Amino acid sequence: DVKVTQSSRYLVKRTGEKVFLECVQDMDHENMFWYRQDPGLGLRLIYFSYDVKMKEKGDIPEGYSVSREKKERFSLILESASTNQTSMYLCASDTGVGSYNEQFFGPGTRLTVL
Amino acid sequence: AQTVTQSQPEMSVQEAETVTLSCTYDTSENNYYLFWYKQPPSRQMILVIRQEAYKQQNATENRFSVNFQKAAKSFSLKISDSQLGDTAMYFCAFMKRNFGNEKLTFGTGTRLTIIP
C-alpha cells in the first residue's frame, strides 16, 4: 500500500515563527502536493512538485515556500507564521505517469498559529 | 480555469437508505477526469470512485456509483445501502487529462452523516 506520512498531526506555533511541515511518501511517486483545508472552502492547492528540485505554485502560494531535495520528501515552509495560516495541511502524492493519477493523501497536520 | 461546486454542505440519511451527493463543474476542456474522495473523521482522504470524461458508461464501485452528465457538467455520487462507515466528508474533484503533471481542483465538500 502507498503510504504518505506527515511529520506531525498537531502543531502549535507563535506568530512570526518559521514553521516546517514535512511529508514523506514511500512509493517512488513523481508528483507531490501541499493543500490547505478550511471549512467551507474545501482543499486549496498551495504548491506542487513534479520532480526533485522542481516546484510550481498552486492557487494560494502567498506566505508559503516549498523544498524537494529528495524524491520521497516534500516540505512546506511558513517563513513567518501568521494567524491566518491556522489550518489543516494535507500532503498528497501521485505517480505522475499513466492515466490514472489517483492522489494518495497523508493524515494531515492541524496547525494552530497563536 | 476549472471550478467545482458542491451545493450541499451537509446531508444526513438513515442507515441502509440510498443517498445522492451533487457536484457540478465548469470547464472548457474536453478530456478530463472526475473523482469523488472520502475523508472519514480520522482525516485520511481516500479515493472512492473516478470517471473518465470520454467514457459514456457511469462508473461503479460496489455500493458507490456516479451519474455523469457531460453536457450538463454534472457528476453526482450515489451511495446505496448506506453504512455507518460512510459517515465522512465527500469531495468532488476535477483533473484535466494530460501526461501526468496535472492537479486536482476540489469542491467545498459535503459532510454526510449516516444515522443508525
Side-chain angles (χ1 to χ4, degrees):
Chain A
D1 284 348
V2 175
K3 194 167 184 181
V4 180
T5 57
Q6 295 183 230
S7 50
S8 306
R9 291 300 301 271
Y10 300 93
L11 208 54
V12 179
K13 295 292 182 181
R14 297 251 175 226
T15 301
E17 281 192 78
K18 190 168 186 176
V19 181
F20 292 87
L21 302 183
E22 304 283 334
C23 175
V24 177
Q25 50 91 6
D26 66 358
M27 284 300 292
D28 202 35
H29 281 175
E30 301 291 328
N31 294 350
M32 296 188 75
F33 306 82
W34 275 107
Y35 298 91
R36 65 176 281 175
Q37 182 180 2
D38 300 288
L41 297 178
L43 277 73
R44 294 178 292 166
L45 182 65
I46 304 171
Y47 269 96
F48 66 105
S49 168
Y50 53 86
D51 200 356
V52 176
K53 297 191 185 294
M54 304 298 286
K55 61 185 180 184
E56 285 199 23
K57 293 180 180 179
D59 301 315
I60 52 165
E62 296 78 18
Y64 304 94
S65 62
V66 290
S67 172
R68 193 167 180 202
E69 297 295 321
K70 293 185 178 181
K71 191 175 185 179
E72 67 271 17
R73 189 180 298 270
F74 191 36
S75 302
L76 180 70
I77 303 158
L78 288 65
E79 294 288 344
S80 178
S82 64
T83 55
N84 63 11
Q85 292 178 310
T86 291
S87 186
M88 171 70 83
Y89 291 88
L90 297 177
C91 175
S93 69
D94 72 29
T95 61
V97 295
S99 61
Y100 195 83
N101 280 347
E102 174 185 354
Q103 286 192 13
F104 295 87
F105 285 81
T109 295
R110 183 168 294 283
L111 173 66
T112 301
V113 183
L114 302 176
Chain B
Q2 286 68 231
T3 59
V4 178
T5 302
Q6 294 179 250
S7 57
Q8 305 151 311
E10 292 189 20
M11 297 184 71
S12 60
V13 66
Q14 293 288 138
E15 191 176 6
E17 291 186 349
T18 294
V19 61
T20 299
L21 280 59
S22 301
C23 174
T24 58
Y25 59 94
D26 190 24
T27 185
S28 57
E29 301 289 331
N30 193 46
N31 293 318
Y32 51 87
Y33 299 105
L34 294 163
F35 303 83
W36 279 98
Y37 279 86
K38 170 185 177 181
Q39 187 181 43
S42 64
R43 293 295 191 183
Q44 196 107 23
M45 190 94 70
I46 57 173
L47 178 67
V48 175
I49 197 167
R50 76 158 194 166
Q51 175 80 39
E52 291 140 307
Y54 64 89
K55 289 187 177 178
Q56 292 188 338
Q57 186 172 7
N58 288 325
T60 62
E61 287 287 343
N62 301 314
R63 298 182 295 106
F64 298 87
S65 62
V66 298
N67 183 3
F68 173 49
Q69 303 288 330
K70 191 173 183 180
K73 296 181 180 173
S74 170
F75 182 61
S76 60
L77 174 69
K78 185 172 83 171
I79 306 173
S80 304
D81 185 27
S82 58
Q83 301 174 359
L84 296 180
D86 296 332
T87 292
M89 283 289 291
Y90 288 82
F91 293 96
C92 179
F94 173 100
M95 180 189 283
K96 287 192 297 184
R97 189 181 182 195
N98 206 330
F99 297 104
N101 294 330
E102 283 299 333
K103 55 185 181 177
L104 284 169
T105 299
F106 285 89
T108 53
T110 296
R111 182 178 302 279
L112 175 66
T113 302
I114 309 299
I115 302 166

